Amino acid sequence: MSTEVRPVRTENEFDRWSDALDIGFHVPQNRGDGRRRRPRHPDLDRVWAAFDGERVVGTFVSLPMELTLPGLRRIPLDGVSAVSVAATHRRQGVLSRMMAGEMAAARERGECVAALIAAEYPIYGRYGFGPATESAQWRADARDLRFRRELPGRIELVDADTALAEAPVLYDRIRAEQPGAVSRDYWRWAQDTGHDLREGATAPQDVLHALCRDAAGEIVGYARYRFAERWVNQRPNNTIHALNLMATDALYEARLWKYLADHDWVTEVVGPEIDRFDPLWRDLLADRRMAVAGEVWDFLWLRPLDPAAFLSARTYAKADRIVLRVQDKDGYATGTYAVESAADGSGECVRVQDLPDLTVPVDVLGSISLGGYSASRYLALGLAEEHTPGAADRLSTMLSTPLPPHNPMIF
Ligand SMILES: CC(C)(COP(=O)(O)OP(=O)(O)OC[C@H]1O[C@@H](n2cnc3c(N)ncnc32)[C@H](O)[C@@H]1OP(=O)(O)O)[C@@H](O)C(=O)NCCC(=O)NCCS
């Protein structure tokens, strides 16, 4: 094949990469956006392209990000995004070549894990990625939404400038306390608040921003939302869509839901597309059936590149030692590792020559690494192999977390 896969080298190539991305993501009307997009990717070595002659026929980017692990250590994360291949060149191995290039580069840079959000489920398992967190969109009946206890927090409508000043700072506090959460670039907040727009685009005027403050006046929650009007037989049947809803604590999250439900004319509040699969605020409802989950889907996918470094960075629920063999057809994670944890939760993972207690493919290691899915689950499905009876259950206990991991941000 004459297609060349390599990082972009010049500004002109970046502009063509940007246009190819907009075509690949079916927004050709957005072309010409290269100059504005460029500052988001200061390191061109992370911007992969496939070239057919002068033409860019594949796009792929690696974002330097952070991931919060159980135990709350934050580690560097290779965030894969902007993946597209031209319809003329699809299914010819272009994605596979871009992925191979970036995974080798990430390993070279010393990043121990890569992550992505999959547009379609079947694409990325073959490259060693496994879903590690789950998300859901919740819909609440707004007509009589009552909670089991008094909810703290004071709500205040703010303008987009204030939202841009406060929301990123709040999110950084939230993600620091949430295993599974990833960092979020400032430009995405600027986009959300109508500050970073394509030339000719106008900021949406129908979006509102609300902050929630605690008793001391500190900002503890934020919602970005819009109203969708619908009347039936001259009776209100309107919806509020929360595009973003986040708080430091489930009580403040519930407070924001209540604020949105408290609007007259509104019969339903639809939450963000990427809420927790099992959010705590739901348990605060006087009637839990007032909230139902819409779409439930896999969200953050992880691809361990260096299991020893990755698993040494998290903490563990119980003291134990399991020898784990990892299978990886691409080789990065292949090996046998002892995962050993102490009673204080600290742990270490090192390469060993021992006989394994359990064998898992690398995508399964990605799925179980944050505790969102258990090793026992994959054993039951025949997707992990046990050599020491009980090893999968013991590893599941070690990796488990009191609350499921959650990533509330797309990238
Ligand atoms: C997804 C996409 C990038 C794949 O690119 P591609 O160059 O066609 O992929 P490759 O040729 O390298 O495919 C490698 C393997 O993955 C499979 N594959 C690729 N895309 C797939 C998909 N969407 N569904 C199922 N299998 C897929 C191929 O069939 C091939 O399998 P094989 O090795 O058994 O033959 C491309 O289809 C695309 O641009 N889709 C639209 C945008 C998109 O979804 N991007 C992903 C954003 S997260």
Side-chain angles (χ1 to χ4, degrees), residues 24-26 59 82-86 89-98 116-120 122-124 126-127:
F25 278 15
H26 304 292
T59 65
V83 176
S84 76
V85 170
H89 289 66
R90 69 193 276 276
R91 308 300 181 265
Q92 295 171 30
V94 171
L95 168 59
S96 297
R97 292 171 63 202
M98 294 191 293
L116 50 78
I117 313 291
E120 293 186 89
I123 304 174
Y124 295 106
R126 78 192 65 241
Y127 303 119

Side-chain angles (χ1 to χ4, degrees), residues 82-386:
V83 176
S84 76
V85 170
T88 46
H89 289 66
R90 69 193 276 276
R91 308 300 181 265
Q92 295 171 30
V94 171
L95 168 59
S96 297
R97 292 171 63 202
M98 294 191 293
M99 182 67 82
E102 173 50 29
M103 291 303 101
R107 190 72 178 82
E108 189 81 3
R109 289 192 300 264
E111 288 157 0
C112 64
V113 59
L116 50 78
I117 313 291
E120 293 186 89
Y121 195 96
I123 304 174
Y124 295 106
R126 78 192 65 241
Y127 303 119
F129 289 81
T133 74
E134 209 156 42
S135 284
Q137 184 169 38
W138 290 89
R139 314 174 78 94
D141 187 331
R143 284 168 296 195
D144 185 24
L145 200 66
R146 280 176 290 115
F147 290 83
R148 291 168 60 174
R149 51 161 290 176
E150 195 77 14
L151 298 174
R154 183 167 48 82
I155 304 291
E156 172 192 344
L157 264 188
V158 295
D159 61 20
D161 290 353
T162 308
L164 181 59
E166 302 296 349
V169 181
L170 173 67
Y171 178 64
D172 277 346
R173 281 171 55 209
I174 292 171
R175 77 176 171 95
E177 302 289 325
Q178 176 60 66
V182 301
S183 53
R184 190 174 200 236
D185 283 330
Y186 184 78
W187 64 263
R188 293 188 194 269
W189 295 106
Q191 217 167 38
D192 283 359
T193 51
H195 289 83
D196 182 11
L197 299 171
R198 270 182 305 109
E199 205 177 306
T202 46
Q205 298 300 310
D206 60 345
V207 174
L208 291 172
H209 306 271
L211 295 176
C212 179
R213 291 182 189 272
D214 68 10
E218 192 172 354
I219 294 166
V220 288
Y222 166 69
R224 181 169 63 95
Y225 62 97
R226 66 157 57 96
F227 177 84
E229 188 162 9
R230 182 161 181 262
W231 293 74
V232 178
N233 295 330
Q234 298 304 313
R235 299 191 63 227
N237 192 15
N238 304 290
T239 302
I240 282 185
H241 292 269
L243 308 169
N244 193 328
L245 193 157
M246 61 184 188
T248 54
D249 183 296
L251 290 176
Y252 297 123
E253 258 178 74
R255 180 70 190 87
L256 285 162
W257 275 90
K258 178 160 167 48
Y259 161 69
L260 297 178
D262 276 350
H263 288 72
D264 287 327
W265 296 4
V266 170
T267 52
E268 186 175 55
V269 177
V270 179
E273 279 181 339
I274 46 183
D275 199 351
R276 283 177 178 75
F277 168 62
D278 186 11
L280 291 185
W281 62 262
R282 194 168 64 109
D283 293 29
L284 281 172
L285 291 170
D287 176 354
R288 267 177 41 150
R289 296 180 196 174
M290 297 286 276
V292 292
E295 288 182 26
V296 175
W297 56 306
D298 51 282
F299 196 54
L300 183 75
W301 290 58
L302 294 181
R303 199 286 183 220
L305 288 162
D306 178 352
F310 183 35
L311 294 178
S312 293
R314 61 158 290 170
T315 57
Y316 292 83
K318 192 173 177 229
D320 205 341
R321 181 179 188 271
I322 293 287
V323 177
L324 193 63
R325 180 162 61 202
V326 180
Q327 296 169 324
D328 180 358
K329 70 175 174 48
D330 298 322
Y332 303 113
T334 302
T336 305
Y337 304 86
V339 189
E340 189 161 5
S341 53
D344 67 358
S346 62
E348 198 185 16
C349 177
V350 291
R351 276 185 188 271
V352 290
Q353 303 292 332
D354 306 11
L355 289 175
D357 298 308
L358 189 72
T359 298
V360 292
V362 65
D363 60 309
V364 167
L365 179 61
S367 292
I368 65 177
S369 59
L370 300 181
Y373 297 89
S374 70
S376 308
R377 183 185 182 101
Y378 293 95
L379 180 69
L381 297 171
L383 298 173
E385 195 185 344
E386 201 171 59

